Amino acid sequence: MSQNKLTGKVIFVGAGPGDPELITIKGSRALERADRVIYAGSLVNPTLLDICRPGTPFHDSAHLTLEEVVALMSEGTSRGEMIVRLHTGDPSMYGAIKEQFDYLDKQEIPYSVIPGVSSVFAAAAAVKREFTLPDISQTLILTRLAGRTPVPEREALEKLAKHQASMAIFLSVQDMGSVVAALLEGGYPVSTPIAVIAKASWPDEEVLLGTLETIVEKVKQAGIRKQAQILVGDFLDPANGYARSKLYDPTFTHEYRQGTET
């Protein structure tokens, strides 16, 4: 390993869901210091690049292969550069980062990760809902329909739907008919509430609320085909109510507060 390789590094940064104020302070500071930025141009808000120093080289990975991306990393770090690899949302969800890590490990190029705000949480904020309502669900399933990237059979949407947990479905709005069919096959009633949030936190964010019976037509009429979160479950509209939390129940005692008797 050359001495130069020891001085350069790659920082994977979660850009957040779209609103440039939803990148973390640590991620923003990494952009300020970056000698080079490789960003997912098809999804990352380009205004985030304004954080960088004037003259910083930018590379849109939407037009690059993995081999071309890692070649840029290798070239830059060999010169001692600090490279920011800017991914949409949080890099650990559908970010294709493991294959980049494996290359960097083989080349002994140091790297680190700064997490980001996933669009799943920006979508929940858009509809002002909580995934984990007492007596409704204490579990959130993050998943997607199979596409060109297959999904293991044991994780098929209809099998996950049998849990009746809160669900967030990525990368699937282009085939809402199949999403709804799988959810019904899994046991959700047609009255189950569902939300589609397109471009959560962007200025042109769009929210559709409905049920499994109505949502396909609503999505079709809105013309939403990509960049949308699908949220499913009774947490969206608990018809029979929900239990209040123990955490703030005045009769509940925990480590930080003595509860009252009534």
Side-chain angles (χ1 to χ4, degrees):
M1 181 169 52
S2 71
Q3 184 61 39
N4 283 340
K5 279 190 175 181
L6 289 172
T7 61
K9 63 180 179 181
V10 177
I11 302 179
F12 291 81
V13 175
D19 182 343
E21 293 188 344
L22 290 179
I23 191 172
T24 65
I25 293 173
K26 192 168 186 176
S28 180
R29 288 175 176 164
L31 283 175
E32 290 174 351
R33 302 193 314 272
D35 298 307
R36 185 189 298 247
V37 177
I38 306 170
Y39 69 104
S42 60
L43 295 169
V44 166
N45 190 331
T47 62
L48 285 169
L49 301 178
D50 294 341
I51 297 172
C52 302
R53 292 171 295 178
T56 302
F58 303 134
H59 307 275
D60 182 356
S61 62
H63 307 288
L64 303 176
T65 65
L66 170 63
E67 287 73 14
E68 291 169 327
V69 168
V70 295
L72 286 169
M73 293 175 174
S74 182
E75 175 192 339
T77 54
S78 69
R79 297 175 180 169
E81 294 181 358
M82 192 275 272
I83 297 176
V84 166
R85 177 69 169 104
L86 191 60
H87 282 268
T88 187
D90 182 87
S92 68
M93 284 299 296
Y94 305 114
I97 53 175
K98 179 66 166 65
E99 58 199 23
Q100 297 174 69
F101 294 169
D102 288 346
Y103 173 85
L104 295 174
D105 286 336
K106 288 179 182 175
Q107 299 299 313
E108 299 184 50
I109 296 172
Y111 61 91
S112 60
V113 181
I114 298 174
V117 177
S118 169
S119 62
V120 63
F121 302 115
V127 295
K128 301 181 179 68
R129 297 296 195 278
E130 176 185 352
F131 289 116
T132 51
L133 284 177
D135 284 0
I136 299 295
S137 178
Q138 292 293 292
T139 301
L140 171 61
I141 295 174
L142 308 180
T143 188
R144 59 167 296 177
L145 273 184
R148 282 180 289 185
T149 300
V151 171
E153 176 58 28
R154 63 183 179 278
E155 298 175 7
L157 190 55
E158 58 271 24
K159 293 185 177 179
L160 297 179
K162 292 179 180 177
H163 294 283
Q164 304 284 290
S166 302
M167 298 185 79
I169 305 170
F170 292 69
L171 304 168
S172 303
V173 74
Q174 73 283 355
D175 194 2
M176 277 303 298
S178 295
V179 170
V180 169
L183 294 172
L184 292 172
E185 183 179 341
Y188 279 110
V190 294
S191 59
T192 301
I194 184 169
V196 172
I197 301 94
K199 301 193 75 172
S201 84
W202 289 70
D204 54 344
E205 171 186 281
E206 188 169 4
V207 175
L208 303 178
L209 298 173
T211 65
L212 295 186
E213 189 172 28
T214 64
I215 197 67
V216 173
E217 185 61 27
K218 288 188 175 186
V219 170
K220 181 180 178 181
Q221 290 182 3
I224 297 172
R225 297 283 302 165
K226 61 180 182 179
Q227 222 172 330
Q229 275 283 343
I230 304 168
L231 307 183
V232 186
D234 287 335
F235 74 95
L236 287 165
D237 186 15
N240 298 316
Y242 61 93
R244 66 175 292 175
S245 71
K246 293 293 186 186
L247 184 60
Y248 299 109
D249 186 331
T251 66
F252 187 71
T253 298
H254 56 67
E255 183 179 356
Y256 300 99
R257 177 170 53 78
Q258 177 64 48
T260 60
E261 293 184 359
T262 57

